[in-house]
Amino acid sequence: MSPAAQVKRRSALRKASFVVVANRLPVDRDTGPDGTVQWRKSPGGLVTALEPVMRRNGGAWIGWHGAPDEKLPPFQYDGLELVPVHLTTAEIEEYYEGFSNATLWPLYHDVVAHPEFHREWWDAYVTVNRRFAERAAKAAARDAVVWVQDYQLQLVPKMLRKLRPDLRIGFFLHIPFPPTELFQQLPWRRQILEGLLGADLVGFQLPGAAQNFIRLVRQRVGHKTHRETVYLPDGRSVLAKAYPISIDAAEFEELARKPETTARAEDIRRSLGNPKHVLLGIDRLDYTKGLRQRLRAFGELIADGEVDVDDAVFIQVATPSRERVDQYRILRDDIDRLVGRINGDVGRIGQQPITYLHASYPRSEMAALYRAADVMVVTPLRDGMNLVAKEYVACQYDDKGALVLSEFAGAAAELKQAYQVNPYDINGTKSALLQAMRAGDRENSRRMKAMRKQVNDNDIDHWASNFLRELMADRDLHEKQPRPV
Ligand code: GDG
């Protein structure tokens, strides 16, 4: 066999029958002081959930590797085939920081910040989506299953179908899908809807989001729809359904039960002066997460004399995020000022009511924080799901602790026994915080038990297998249903 044929054969063998396409690869690169490069798996449920499926099917993961202006060849990591997609500095600014995070992100989150519309950002979004689609078309074996992730890549399903009509294509949106009134602002609304319709199955966190999508497709693109199905003129049908994402609950519980975690949780409480109530917030520093509202509510409870500064401490971890996007820089300054003001107004010597940490921590420390907290406070103004709420619940193996949860987090649909709040209602939030702090152990344990059952019964494997089962199901069933006229 000629060398050229050998190379071809090797690359043909490497084609994957299961391909994940996501903005980022599931690994981060560490460069040691001596210049040696090491990849580390990035923490997160998505990798954990998809890894077994990828291993079984000789899967490949396509995504950006995290550094600008660098082209890397595909490589294997821990048995996974990783296919890096390069992005230039300008593309990171326009496709990622711009269109993804300053246009789509605020638009899809109830416009809690003002979305910016720039034609050059859109152009970069199209270019980069095409690059991802081309990479996926090359990596996928005949009749392979391709699963595209999230709002950065909404055009990929259509582009990919055009290149490879043999593929079965799924798409999952991790963030909310907005109601028609807001989505219509987008100058490129039709292209986005058509992009998504390239998939066989479009998954959302909540049924309401799937309905928003179906309604928009009917109104804006003019296709026939019936319940969860869109009927395309070429005879193909697309299913739009909810698959609420979850976490690896068993792994979190195992971490929480470790003696080191217990010891560290005790340490944390001790260093805060062993107060009666430890309240905790953990979020990416993002304007959708409702940090301002929750800190104000807590500060007012102390100022009003409802809570004694000696009795309660609020730990707020704000993980650095999207620091080059203007809105995030403004938010950081706002929160710095707010924390300073509250601590200055109601603190005492040796008693800071808010411990604010602008940093990111290893998972072991996250578990210790969850174990140290009596009240977990999750108050986003809008959130696709919110995994932090589920992680806290998974860690409370003794059924202790209380969860205060925004009605506007996707997780509220499942965690019904949380103390639910409208985060815009500061008085309502104050009452919920007080209720959670003052409830008896029996009341909190009743609530926690029910939430733990929900999280344990519906973990990340459940999510991935439900989605993939539907994606790979015999679509003839759908297609044989009578088409609406
Ligand atoms: C999007 C949607 C949806 C946070 N700080 C640290 C850290 N984290 C981890 C948490 C959690 C994850 O990051 C955050 O997930 P969330 O769901 O809370 O929020 P987003 O980042 O906005 O995620 C969201 C999610 O996608 C999945 O579909 O639920 O609605 O917005 O796992 O634990 N992890 C570590 N150190 C930190 O400092 N190790």
Side-chain angles (χ1 to χ4, degrees), residues 217-229:
V217 165
R218 198 170 51 239
Q219 291 173 352
R220 287 278 144 212
V221 197
H223 292 324
K224 297 247 168 10
T225 67
H226 179 62
R227 300 216 173 121
E228 294 165 322
T229 310

Side-chain angles (χ1 to χ4, degrees), residues 174 205 284 289 319 360-361 366 383-387 391:
H174 291 253
Q205 301 277 22
R284 274 187 310 98
K289 301 288 184 185
T319 311
S360 105
Y361 294 94
M366 302 269 293
D383 214 331
M385 178 53 60
N386 197 292
L387 298 181
E391 290 166 5

Side-chain angles (χ1 to χ4, degrees), residues 12 18 45 111 199 213 217 329 339 384 421 455:
F18 178 61
V111 299
F213 173 71
V217 165
R329 274 197 279 246
V339 170
V421 295
V455 172

Side-chain angles (χ1 to χ4, degrees), residues 323-334:
E323 292 181 299
R324 288 154 48 102
V325 178
D326 284 347
Q327 297 272 12
Y328 289 77
R329 274 197 279 246
I330 297 170
L331 176 72
R332 182 171 178 195
D333 289 346
D334 275 7

Side-chain angles (χ1 to χ4, degrees), residues 9 24 54 62 75 90 103 171 273 288 303 314 325 349 361 374-375 393 408 425 433 438:
R9 180 143 172 237
R24 278 300 307 268
M54 288 185 62
I62 294 172
F75 64 100
T103 306
F171 179 91
T288 60
F314 200 119
V325 178
I349 290 177
Y361 294 94
D374 304 296
V375 181
V393 167
F408 306 133
D425 173 5
L433 291 175
R438 290 176 182 168

